[in-house]
Amino acid sequence: MRGVVYDGKRVEVVEDLDVRDPGPGEVQVAISAAGLCHSDLAVVDGTIPFPVPVVLGHEGAGVVEAVGAGVTHVSPGDHVSLSTLANCGTCADCDRGRPTMCRKAIGRPGQPFTQGGRPVYQFASNSAFAERTVVKAVQAVRIPKDIPMPSAALIGCGVLTGVGAVLNRARVDRGDSVLVIGTGGIGLNVIQGARIAGASRIVAVDANPGKEAVARQFGATDFLGSTDGVRELLPTGVDHAFECVGRVELVRQAVDLLDRHGQAVLLGTAPATAEASFLVSSMFLDKSILGCRYGSSRPQRDIPLYAELYRQGRLLLDELVTETYPVEDFEKAVGDAEAGRVARGVVTF
């Protein structure tokens, strides 16, 4: 079967990839569509260290082909959106409703694939850039069949991360002010999460002026080319600032622009050794800097919620899909993503 493999030197669409059958508590999914996220590119450029060779992709949707022993919540033929969260479901954090903190879901890459008899790693417990993949049952979330697959694919990462950061981590309230730095796939979902939460002022910042129209479509009330003008709009600062780029200087700007009792939420992927600074004295007015993994999500709860919001017209998905690419055009998809020409490109099989 076809898949996108990174061998440590180059990314290639291969034809000789194989995936094993699902074991107990696992699901095999035929991938229909998968979003190209900057986290995939971060593996290639070394920002995210990961063993190779690896099948990339982690934002996908498809059709269940087979289930392993003990799996009852999905059946062959079901449409599913895939999460990257291979949590155990039985530890103290899972029991508290914090699956993103499950230690069994972090840093334990499996090798369900082979290429020419050689084991190949799975990225983010998912590897959606393959015609078929095998995931833990908890990662496969049934969705209505009337949701287009390219749109459904984006729920499993961009929506869970961006909207989840607003609703689950920051808990933005009605009337709050929100600053969103970076309006890529994650930033746009933060914007629409803030809109859904009832924020009164949503200020989007992006160096690319061409992104203003889509930022406003998703819910931004204001658009700036840099953070320099934020204080003119909100002189006392913002209640919530979301850094969605992964640059330490932007982290500092997010912190500096907080109002009293404000929160800076870090979503962008910075290099593993990156360090950011802030004025300690500025934090004594009950300000907070919050890390956020995967939108502090509970995928089996959140994915059906977001699917229903989409069906009601309250959550935008189709508008996120800037371009679709057959897997053979993966190189073009990467080029468009790196150049910022697309909010989210979707690879189809």
Side-chain angles (χ1 to χ4, degrees):
M1 68 176 184
R2 293 171 298 170
V4 179
V5 175
Y6 174 57
D7 64 4
K9 295 181 179 178
R10 63 190 299 263
V11 178
E12 184 179 10
V13 178
V14 303
E15 302 277 347
D16 57 345
L17 196 65
D18 290 301
V19 67
R20 61 172 173 77
D21 293 333
E26 294 181 334
V27 177
Q28 186 180 88
V29 177
I31 298 295
S32 298
L36 176 58
C37 176
H38 279 279
S39 293
D40 298 302
L41 305 180
V43 172
V44 178
D45 69 21
T47 302
I48 298 177
F50 207 87
V52 293
V54 57
V55 179
L56 296 175
H58 65 285
E59 187 181 62
V63 180
V64 175
E65 280 200 337
V67 300
V71 177
T72 59
H73 74 291
V74 293
S75 304
D78 284 345
H79 288 201
V80 292
S81 176
L82 300 182
S83 87
T84 67
L85 204 57
N87 59 297
C88 71
T90 59
C91 69
D93 282 309
C94 286
D95 194 49
R96 292 188 186 105
R98 302 188 307 201
T100 57
M101 296 297 103
C102 175
R103 285 173 169 78
K104 293 187 178 179
I106 303 173
R108 300 188 180 191
Q111 293 178 303
F113 300 98
T114 57
Q115 182 188 9
R118 179 181 63 166
V120 180
Y121 284 100
Q122 185 173 39
F123 179 54
S125 303
N126 191 307
S127 289
F129 291 153
E131 289 186 273
R132 293 186 305 280
T133 191
V134 170
V135 298
K136 290 184 68 170
V138 72
Q139 297 176 251
V141 185
R142 187 169 59 243
I143 56 173
K145 292 185 178 181
D146 59 356
I147 300 180
M149 284 294 189
S151 298
L154 304 186
I155 300 176
C157 178
V159 175
L160 281 177
T161 300
V163 178
V166 173
L167 302 182
N168 301 327
R169 187 67 169 123
R171 298 186 182 275
V172 172
D173 201 359
R174 292 165 295 176
D176 285 354
S177 58
V178 172
L179 169 65
V180 183
I181 303 175
T183 60
I186 299 300
L188 289 175
N189 278 298
V190 172
I191 290 170
Q192 71 171 335
R195 170 178 51 79
I196 290 167
S200 62
R201 202 76 180 264
I202 305 170
V203 181
V205 174
D206 200 292
N208 182 354
K211 293 186 176 182
E212 179 174 2
V214 70
R216 289 187 180 276
Q217 180 183 21
F218 274 71
T221 59
D222 304 271
F223 185 90
L224 298 171
S226 75
T227 59
D228 293 342
V230 173
R231 290 282 183 183
E232 295 180 17
L233 299 174
L234 297 162
T236 64
V238 299
D239 296 314
H240 310 274
F242 295 84
E243 200 284 335
C244 305
V245 180
R247 289 168 47 189
V248 294
E249 66 271 24
L250 297 179
V251 171
R252 174 60 184 267
Q253 292 171 26
V255 174
D256 287 347
L257 288 167
L258 294 177
D259 197 355
R260 298 182 180 197
H261 207 270
Q263 301 179 129
V265 184
L266 311 186
L267 295 176
T269 303
T273 58
E275 297 182 359
S277 64
F278 59 91
L279 292 175
V280 175
S281 61
S282 73
M283 304 303 292
F284 292 133
L285 292 173
D286 285 2
K287 299 179 184 181
S288 304
I289 301 173
L290 305 179
C292 184
R293 180 171 189 251
Y294 203 39
S296 301
S297 298
R298 287 181 277 176
Q300 289 288 343
R301 178 202 67 170
D302 291 348
I303 289 177
L305 168 63
Y306 299 152
E308 182 57 31
L309 290 175
Y310 164 79
R311 297 174 86 194
Q312 294 174 8
R314 297 168 62 192
L315 184 136
L316 306 181
L317 290 178
D318 303 341
E319 295 81 358
L320 280 168
V321 183
T322 313
E323 187 72 58
T324 58
Y325 307 84
V327 68
E328 294 83 4
D329 292 341
F330 186 78
E331 186 174 342
K332 183 178 187 301
V334 171
D336 287 349
E338 290 180 331
R341 288 189 287 268
V342 295
R344 215 41 151 214
V346 175
V347 176
T348 59
F349 288 89

